Amino acid sequence: MSLVEAECRWSRERGDCRKTNDDREQPRVMIQWKSTKYKMMIIELIEGLVLVDELYSPVGDALGEKELVGMLKEVFGVDISNYQQLRDQFFERTRELTPFLKRMITAILKEADSRRAWKKKK
């Protein structure tokens, strides 16, 4: 029950943060990236979500890059007005194309392995 209450409180607080006194004022953001290169990480996420073709609007339209950029702007308060330029840089990478997504995959697999090991000990 406390988890549900905490989620409701977070949602209310998030709604309050989006309200501004002046149209020109930026809303306060509750979530911030640790990295300074977060825009490229966001591009990795967006491209991955677009390419797997799993996200659709309530009316059934596939969400594209522009819609996802807008949604992530709402969540993280990050304006990626140079999305096309970053997208081009993303696909021109020569070392590793998706280091952030690879870190996510590694972290998920590591956590899954540790949970399985914990369950076996019982």
Side-chain angles (χ1 to χ4, degrees):
M1 187 63 158
S2 63
L3 182 60
V4 173
E5 291 171 357
E7 184 66 26
C8 290
R9 185 176 66 248
W10 186 85
S11 295
R12 277 194 310 276
E13 289 171 358
R14 180 74 183 132
D16 292 343
C17 288
R18 284 190 295 240
K19 296 176 186 170
T20 59
N21 297 333
D22 186 352
D23 290 338
R24 292 168 292 168
E25 186 181 334
Q26 290 294 323
R28 186 170 55 105
V29 178
M30 293 179 68
I31 302 171
Q32 300 218 341
W33 287 87
K34 180 174 87 171
S35 170
T36 58
K37 298 181 181 183
Y38 59 86
K39 286 189 178 183
M40 195 54 82
M41 293 177 177
I42 292 172
I43 298 301
E44 286 184 38
L45 286 171
I46 289 171
E47 287 305 319
L49 290 169
V50 167
L51 293 172
V52 296
D53 194 32
E54 283 291 328
L55 296 179
Y56 287 81
S57 72
V59 294
D61 297 330
L63 294 178
E65 291 135 348
K66 288 182 182 180
E67 293 88 1
L68 291 173
V69 165
M71 289 177 185
L72 290 173
K73 179 180 179 182
E74 176 73 19
V75 173
F76 296 112
V78 175
D79 182 25
I80 307 180
S81 55
N82 61 339
Y83 176 77
Q84 292 295 332
Q85 179 186 4
L86 289 172
R87 183 175 173 255
D88 292 342
Q89 289 175 9
F90 168 72
F91 282 110
E92 290 172 3
R93 284 179 170 175
T94 55
R95 279 188 162 173
E96 271 192 280
L97 186 61
T98 57
F100 178 62
L101 294 179
K102 286 180 182 177
R103 280 182 28 218
M104 286 180 63
I105 291 168
T106 301
I108 291 168
L109 292 173
K110 183 178 176 182
E111 180 64 17
D113 287 344
S114 71
R115 288 179 184 216
R116 286 188 204 112
W118 182 75
K119 286 182 179 181
K120 289 178 185 176
K121 290 180 183 177
K122 281 187 170 185

